[in-house]
Amino acid sequence: MTITITAFEHSPDGGKGLARDTRVRWALEEVGQPYEVRLVSFRAMKEPRIGRFHPFGQIPTYEEEGLTLFETGSIVFHIAERHAGLLPGDTNARRARSHGCLPRSTRWSRRSLKLANAKLLESDKPWSKERLPLVADRVRDRLKQLSVRLGDADWLDGGFSAGDLLMVSVLLRLKSSGILDEFPNLAAYLARGEARPAYSRAFAAQLAVNTG
């Protein structure tokens, strides 16, 4: 039984851990499952053979014993459901957590991506100066809600879970914006995620691809 995931041959983030394959690597490291990585170039992503695995020609994908999955959140929760360590043992609790965390992290990912795009891809637009504060305020409103939800706890739902893995991954995209500094408990939450040995291994593996 070999797990194979796809990743960028040269990641747009240069190995900073922001590419989505890092989340899948992290999940597999947390549950102690070995995996292989098939590196894909940007040109190859447009080829029909890639479309067999991911209908939108993106990464990551997950392959195991004839099963092929795409979309990062779905892959992470598949790993969590198959292997102990990322979801509670109780069946009802597992379902409640997976159904709650996946939509939550997806919404967050969209918000953080909009902020990144507003800064990096739209800065030369005539309406950029007016739009950027609005996008940042929307993200800030979400951070306020998350800060209240987390409170003084270490993780969102008791012990570290797949939901925390996805949420920390989203917050990593906001780290350079400085907005997280306004919420000390969220900055500390992010730091705890980055300090996990499994995350360090996943980060190192992704970095090695881009600097090797």
Side-chain angles (χ1 to χ4, degrees):
M1 180 178 66
T2 302
I3 296 172
T4 302
I5 68 172
T6 54
F8 285 122
E9 185 177 75
H10 296 290
S11 180
D13 72 339
K16 296 179 181 178
L18 302 181
R20 293 176 184 269
D21 64 281
T22 305
R23 306 177 191 188
V24 178
R25 294 174 188 266
W26 185 5
L28 289 167
E29 293 288 351
E30 287 283 353
V31 299
Q33 288 298 304
Y35 61 97
E36 296 180 356
V37 181
R38 186 172 68 251
L39 299 178
V40 181
S41 67
F42 284 102
R43 175 176 293 183
M45 287 173 64
K46 306 302 180 183
E47 296 176 0
R49 65 186 181 87
I50 299 298
R52 298 202 316 268
F53 302 106
H54 195 304
F56 308 117
Q58 298 176 349
I59 63 98
T61 59
Y62 174 102
E63 302 160 45
E64 180 186 18
E65 292 188 324
L67 171 68
T68 301
L69 299 173
F70 62 96
E71 297 300 332
T72 312
S74 297
I75 296 171
V76 169
F77 275 102
H78 169 78
I79 294 168
E81 288 172 344
R82 288 283 298 270
H83 308 283
L86 286 173
L87 286 175
D90 177 78
T91 302
N92 290 335
R94 289 166 67 92
R95 289 176 179 171
R97 189 169 296 183
S98 62
H99 284 291
C101 291
L102 184 53
R104 182 168 59 194
S105 64
T106 300
R107 289 192 297 269
W108 268 96
S109 185
R110 290 171 183 162
R111 294 283 176 124
S112 65
L113 188 58
K114 284 183 179 179
L115 180 60
N117 286 343
K119 287 187 172 184
L120 299 176
L121 304 180
E122 301 171 353
S123 59
D124 61 336
K125 306 298 182 183
W127 36 261
S128 176
K129 289 185 178 180
E130 288 76 19
R131 184 171 186 270
L132 182 57
L134 295 176
V135 175
D137 282 343
R138 292 192 187 106
V139 171
R140 191 173 281 109
D141 287 341
R142 286 291 187 180
L143 287 174
K144 290 176 183 176
Q145 296 173 2
L146 182 62
S147 178
V148 171
R149 172 72 176 78
L150 179 65
D152 60 0
D154 284 346
W155 309 111
L156 289 172
D157 296 298
F160 180 82
S161 71
D164 292 298
L165 185 154
L166 291 172
M167 188 60 72
V168 167
S169 298
V170 172
L171 293 182
L172 279 166
R173 289 183 172 271
L174 298 173
K175 188 175 181 179
S176 62
S177 71
I179 295 179
L180 279 178
D181 296 337
E182 301 172 24
F183 305 90
N185 67 331
L186 297 184
Y189 172 64
L190 174 58
R192 280 191 294 275
E194 290 182 286
R196 292 184 69 83
Y199 174 79
S200 297
R201 292 192 296 271
F203 181 92
Q206 206 253 5
L207 180 63
V209 171
N210 289 273
T211 58

